Amino acid sequence: MLANRLVGNPDGAAGLECTLLGPRLEFADARWVAVTGAEVPVTLDGAEMPRWASFAVPAGGVLKIGAARTGVRAYLAVSGGVATPAVLGSRATYLRGGLGGLNGRAIRRGDVLPLGAPAGGAAARRVRAERIPTYGGEPDIATVLGPQADRFTPAGIAALFEGPYEMLPQSDRMGARFKGPRIEHTHGHDIISDGIALGAIQVIGDGQPIVLLVDRQTAGGIPRSVRWARTRSAASGRSSLGQKLRFKQVEVAEAHAVLATRRAALDSAIA
């Protein structure tokens, strides 16, 4: 969202998500671009460029995004947005289903991405230093107990909030898997399937949590102990494999306050 705002796009414009390593891109015409997210080196025709700021790329310019030093995913926004056809109301790529984006697949060498017409009014902008997130450490992730919390013992709920939990390599956009204290079920780990909300924390038979993310399944039959109340970025975009985090229990009102504060921070983030 911030990357789009930096280049004058609507919040929902399509960009590129780069996991661990970014692309090398040649621009057919002049555009404004911005790179946010993971700490990655960014160069334009070999010259180092800033992150969390917009800058102009001339026609024929070559932009390169290198390997992430901290964090996992970097985001590239281009003025006008990536103009691939919308599928089910979105230009996002769903790899498991082969839908959206560029023919439902990851970008490959030699691909040409269509861009939309810039909205105009783009200029050099930056995200205020105090609004740029830091990566690493052991973040606390605010959570609210969900409607299936009674499927876990009091000791199991306590274990979840005591942590810490370490992100495992078996993580992707469908779900982030964690390893830590065992979360004990009361009556097994199977329930009647129901809908799954973004950020729900599913606890499988071995008592380990999986945070369900943007490519999650629509329904499932495994109990979900809590619903994530903060942003999912700590498990998807910010946390590196092997990094640890803790789940912090909050009430609904506090979760709403966190969300309101985050939205206000976004609206005041760009200088």
Side-chain angles (χ1 to χ4, degrees):
M1 188 182 295
L2 285 175
N4 273 324
R5 292 183 182 186
L6 284 168
V7 298
N9 288 343
D11 287 349
L16 292 184
E17 181 180 78
C18 313
T19 303
L20 296 177
L21 180 66
R24 179 180 179 274
L25 304 166
E26 182 177 356
F27 284 74
D29 59 5
R31 297 280 171 160
W32 285 85
V33 305
V35 179
T36 60
E39 183 185 354
V40 292
V42 180
T43 60
L44 174 60
D45 294 329
E48 185 176 352
M49 303 304 291
R51 297 165 49 250
W52 300 96
S54 58
F55 55 90
V57 176
V62 176
L63 182 75
K64 184 177 180 180
I65 300 176
R69 301 186 185 103
T70 59
V72 175
R73 293 184 173 90
Y75 299 91
L76 170 68
V78 180
S79 56
V82 178
T84 52
V87 177
L88 299 176
S90 174
R91 289 188 170 87
T93 305
Y94 179 48
L95 293 176
R96 291 174 183 267
L99 299 173
L102 192 66
N103 302 318
R105 60 170 175 79
I107 305 301
R108 296 197 294 250
R109 180 181 178 89
D111 283 341
V112 177
L113 292 175
L115 299 178
R125 302 184 179 95
R126 62 177 177 83
V127 175
R128 300 178 191 277
E130 66 272 18
R131 299 300 189 199
I132 297 175
T134 56
Y135 302 94
E138 193 173 283
D140 291 331
I141 309 302
T143 58
V144 175
L145 283 176
Q148 295 159 357
D150 61 350
R151 300 288 303 193
F152 304 91
T153 66
I157 295 295
L160 173 67
F161 292 123
E162 287 169 1
Y165 286 89
E166 176 184 338
M167 179 179 279
L168 298 176
Q170 297 80 18
S171 299
D172 57 19
R173 286 170 53 88
M174 181 176 182
R177 288 179 175 264
F178 292 91
K179 179 181 180 181
R182 185 175 183 275
I183 304 167
E184 184 181 42
H185 297 85
T186 54
H187 304 293
H189 65 281
D190 291 323
I191 62 172
I192 296 174
S193 293
D194 63 359
I196 293 178
L198 176 62
I201 300 178
Q202 180 175 273
V203 182
I204 56 179
D206 63 1
Q208 299 300 299
I210 301 174
V211 179
L212 300 172
L213 303 175
V214 289
D215 280 356
R216 70 199 179 280
Q217 65 274 34
T218 56
I222 295 176
R224 290 167 293 283
S225 58
V226 296
R227 179 167 295 171
W228 216 340
R230 196 185 172 199
T231 116
R232 64 186 180 277
S233 61
S236 59
R238 295 187 184 180
S239 293
S240 300
L241 300 180
Q243 184 178 351
K244 294 182 179 180
L245 54 76
R246 293 178 183 270
F247 299 103
K248 176 186 176 184
Q249 185 177 358
V250 300
E251 300 301 324
V252 172
E254 185 178 352
H256 287 172
V258 169
L259 180 60
T261 299
R262 178 171 174 262
R263 286 175 173 169
L266 280 173
D267 290 339
S268 62
I270 295 178

